Amino acid sequence: MAQAWRCAGLSWTAGGPVLIWDGGRRSALTWGKTVAFGVAEGGARTCVGARGNTCPLAARVSARSTGPRCEECARLDRAHSVAADTLVDDPRPYRVYLAWFGAGMTKVGITAERRGSARLLEQGAVCFSWLGTGPLMAARRTEELLRAALRVPDRIPYAAKRAARAALPATGEERAAEIAVLHARALELTGWPESLAPAPFRPVDHVKAFGLAEAPAPVGVVGELAAGGAVSGELVAAAGPDLHLATDRGVLVLDTRLLPGWELVPAGGRRVEVPVRALKERPAAQDGLF
């Protein structure tokens, strides 16, 4: 029987996307590389545990969920988290950013300064600009200020981000236009925390890093994995957790958040033997930014 592997998820590095495996093994992903795996026969998707500990119940997790943890382990995993607002005493500096995902889809967020732009790559931000740097709570207050004063959300549904990538403007200047306006308006607001140092507008575009300019448009999305199934294709682009694979069904999007919790085995060819659904159409853009 072939050795089974467990995927811990996708990470972004300076060299591009990397699949992480339990035990620390890494698989760098480059354009044109074949991504191929099967799902072990007779298996089920099980909770990956929390904070380095295995799930005591080995609980089953839905194959369609992008979260690989059971309810209890998910709660424990977020118990000391910046994203969940349960970590407020981190003394290290944080950055506030404006990220753009498509027409009418801009969000505000924060990330640890030490992480650089990794958080923006992980979210699939098409372009972004830093807004300022300071202590964690000052960054949080600035984030809330923009949400309240400029009505900029701090979350955008991932399906909407994915759909927006199918119809991006052709130039970097066009892709940066909305955050340019927001950045200028944000700096004009009163109420900025004194401990947060504003940053000039310097847009960073990820279309090249994601490989989106030359890649064919995807025609579908892997909906879930299943025991005995297989996914195999040539990597043509990647954005956030998504891999765009050229397969026997055309270019399909594989959300790598579906992988953790399964036992995966080697596979070959360009076949896809798991449920696939149509790519959702791009939702109508909002009427304005403000």
Side-chain angles (χ1 to χ4, degrees), residues 12 97-102 105-109 117-130 156 158 161-162 164-165 168 175 179 203-212 238-242:
W12 279 86
Y97 61 81
L98 288 169
W100 184 86
F101 301 90
M105 297 174 61
T106 301
K107 64 157 283 188
V108 61
S117 61
R119 178 66 178 149
L120 285 306
L121 290 163
E122 291 167 358
Q123 292 185 53
V126 175
C127 68
F128 79 94
S129 179
W130 301 120
I156 293 176
Y158 197 80
K161 299 180 189 179
R162 181 180 292 139
R165 288 200 298 265
L168 295 175
R175 294 190 289 269
I179 55 173
V204 177
D205 193 277
H206 285 156
V207 163
K208 184 177 180 180
F210 290 158
L212 295 173
D242 286 350

Side-chain angles (χ1 to χ4, degrees), residues 1-5 37-44 226-230 262-266:
M1 180 179 177
Q3 180 180 1
W5 295 85
F37 62 87
V39 184
E41 293 276 1
W262 289 103
E263 288 196 340
L264 305 178
V265 296

Side-chain angles (χ1 to χ4, degrees), residues 10 15-19 27-31 33 35 235 243:
L10 184 76
V18 177
L19 280 175
S27 300
L29 301 176
T30 54
W31 311 142
K33 182 171 183 174
V35 175
L235 183 67
L243 302 182

Side-chain angles (χ1 to χ4, degrees), residues 6 44-49 54-61 70 73:
R6 284 186 171 265
R45 192 183 190 195
T46 56
C47 174
V48 299
T54 59
C55 176
L57 301 177
R60 292 200 175 191
V61 179
C70 67
C73 286

Side-chain angles (χ1 to χ4, degrees), residues 74-75 77-88 140 155:
R75 184 186 65 80
D77 192 63
R78 294 173 66 84
H80 198 59
S81 162
V82 171
D85 280 335
T86 53
L87 174 63
V88 297
R140 274 292 187 221
R155 287 178 176 82

Side-chain angles (χ1 to χ4, degrees), residues 135-160:
L136 173 59
M137 294 313 295
R140 274 292 187 221
R141 287 196 297 272
T142 305
E143 182 184 42
E144 181 57 35
L145 175 65
L146 266 68
R147 287 165 52 192
L150 301 182
R151 291 191 289 168
V152 184
D154 63 347
R155 287 178 176 82
I156 293 176
Y158 197 80

Side-chain angles (χ1 to χ4, degrees), residues 44 51 90 103 118 129 137 155 160-161 187 211 216-217 222 226 236 247 288:
R51 311 189 72 81
D90 190 340
S129 179
M137 294 313 295
R155 287 178 176 82
K161 299 180 189 179
L187 294 184
V222 172
V236 296
T247 75

